[in-house]
């Protein structure tokens, strides 16, 4: 393994070292992840078929109530927001009853949910224009940058650009967002009190996903599992919200 027993005892906690050297457990791929949350994570999306239901779902578990963010014109969705710390937030997204005729796969999928669940996440790579150029130079198919905007309840507009990957690895990979300089990041004035303890991707092929993440410059922790899914643990004053996609 290229490292002495003495050195291993310095690197690993004592109980973990004993278990490893005795052969009691295998080393999971997540063990050596540098962070429990990706450094570039901007926000995670919790889908619900009804916005008030999604807000109550989160509040009942964390003790913090998300506030209405606004609607997405032409997309058939609306959201509520909750801060998860510095430049991180939870977006609860649901169909907008005032836009029933909008043809949008995301809105259609939200209608079909029976329980709130994770439906994706966003990362902030800096300039999405430069990032998209790098992706295409590397042979990675993507769409964008695409402009987006939303009117806040106070009348101010939020503006952003996004780049979406053609292949999201069964929903494990993010879309990429750049907020305009004149927009207040949602984490700043969304309700506070919660923290994102852990955000992980689970997949039957962790080595393949880890390789893709490295290409995208993402340090998302990866864990081997039977099926691909995202997993988040959000702590609040009342308790933890443990949620999967």
């Amino acid at each position: 393994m290229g490292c002495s027993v003495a050195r291993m005892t310095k690197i690993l906690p004592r109980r973990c070292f004993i278990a490893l050297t005795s052969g009691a457990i295998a080393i999971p791929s997540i063990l050596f992840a540098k962070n429990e949350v990706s450094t570039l994570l901007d926000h995670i999306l919790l889908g619900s078929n009804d916005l008030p239901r999604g807000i109550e779902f989160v509040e009942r578990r964390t003790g913090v109530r998300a506030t209405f963010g606004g609607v997405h014109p032409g997309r058939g969705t609306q959201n509520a927001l909750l801060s998860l710390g510095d430049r991180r937030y939870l977006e609860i997204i649901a169909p907008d009853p005032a836009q029933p005729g909008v043809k949008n796969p995301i809105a259609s999928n939200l209608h079909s949910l029976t329980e709130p669940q994770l439906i994706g996440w966003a990362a902030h790579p800096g300039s999405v224009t430069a990032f998209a150029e790098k992706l295409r130079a590397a042979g990675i198919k993507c769409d964008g940058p695409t402009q987006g905007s939303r009117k806040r309840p106070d009348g101010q507009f939020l503006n952003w650009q996004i780049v979406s990957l053609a292949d999201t690895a069964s929903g494990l990979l993010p879309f990429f967002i750049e907020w305009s300089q004149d927009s207040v990041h949602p984490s700043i004035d969304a309700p506070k009190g919660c923290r994102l303890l852990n955000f992980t991707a689970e997949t039957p092929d962790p080595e393949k996903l880890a390789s893709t993440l490295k290409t995208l410059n993402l340090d998302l922790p990866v864990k081997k599992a039977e099926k691909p899914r995202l997993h988040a643990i959000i702590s609040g004053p009342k308790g933890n919200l443990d949620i999967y996609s």
Side-chain angles (χ1 to χ4, degrees):
M1 293 175 62
C3 94
S4 67
V5 170
R7 187 182 176 195
M8 283 186 72
T9 58
K10 294 179 181 180
I11 297 174
L12 298 173
R14 183 174 181 274
R15 282 189 295 176
C16 183
F17 170 74
I18 293 172
L20 290 172
T21 53
S22 66
I25 60 173
I27 301 177
S29 58
I30 198 174
L31 181 62
F32 298 109
K34 292 182 180 179
N35 302 296
E36 293 181 335
V37 176
S38 176
T39 306
L40 296 183
L41 185 144
D42 185 86
H43 65 279
I44 58 178
L45 290 86
L46 180 72
S48 177
N49 62 6
D50 177 75
L51 190 59
R53 183 185 184 193
I55 294 172
E56 181 184 356
F57 178 86
V58 174
E59 182 182 18
R60 190 164 63 245
R61 289 159 177 79
T62 65
V64 179
R65 187 173 183 82
T67 57
F68 181 68
V71 301
H72 303 114
R75 293 172 56 191
T77 56
Q78 58 180 338
N79 67 18
L81 310 174
L82 184 155
S83 177
L84 296 176
D86 185 28
R87 295 196 68 82
R88 291 175 180 165
Y89 69 97
L90 173 69
E91 176 181 7
I92 305 170
I93 186 168
D96 178 13
Q99 302 183 71
V102 173
K103 303 296 182 182
N104 180 5
I106 294 177
S108 298
N109 291 336
L110 292 172
H111 276 292
S112 66
L113 295 179
T114 56
E115 289 288 336
Q117 67 178 60
L118 295 177
I119 63 166
W121 64 292
H124 53 87
S127 168
V128 290
T129 299
F131 186 71
E133 291 175 355
K134 291 179 180 179
L135 291 178
R136 294 183 175 112
I140 300 174
K141 295 181 179 180
C142 64
D143 295 320
T146 304
Q147 299 286 340
S149 66
R150 170 172 60 80
K151 187 177 181 179
R152 297 176 9 146
D154 62 6
Q156 296 185 44
F157 279 89
L158 293 180
N159 299 288
W160 61 84
Q161 297 182 79
I162 63 170
V163 168
S164 302
L165 298 173
D167 181 2
T168 63
S170 300
L172 299 180
L173 298 177
F175 63 90
F176 299 88
I177 189 166
E178 178 186 359
W179 296 91
S180 67
Q181 293 185 353
D182 60 353
S183 294
V184 177
H185 192 269
S187 65
I188 294 177
D189 54 5
K192 295 175 173 56
C194 287
R195 188 164 62 96
L196 184 58
L197 298 180
N198 184 278
F199 186 69
T200 307
E202 299 184 359
T203 174
D205 193 347
E207 291 79 13
K208 180 179 179 181
L209 180 61
S211 177
T212 302
L213 289 167
K214 184 177 181 180
T215 301
L216 297 172
N217 196 32
L218 295 171
D219 55 355
L220 177 71
V222 178
K223 181 178 180 181
K224 186 175 179 62
E226 292 183 0
K227 62 180 181 179
R229 62 179 183 175
L230 297 169
H231 178 212
I233 302 176
I234 298 171
S235 69
K238 188 176 180 180
N240 288 353
L241 168 61
D242 196 321
I243 191 77
Y244 290 87
S245 62

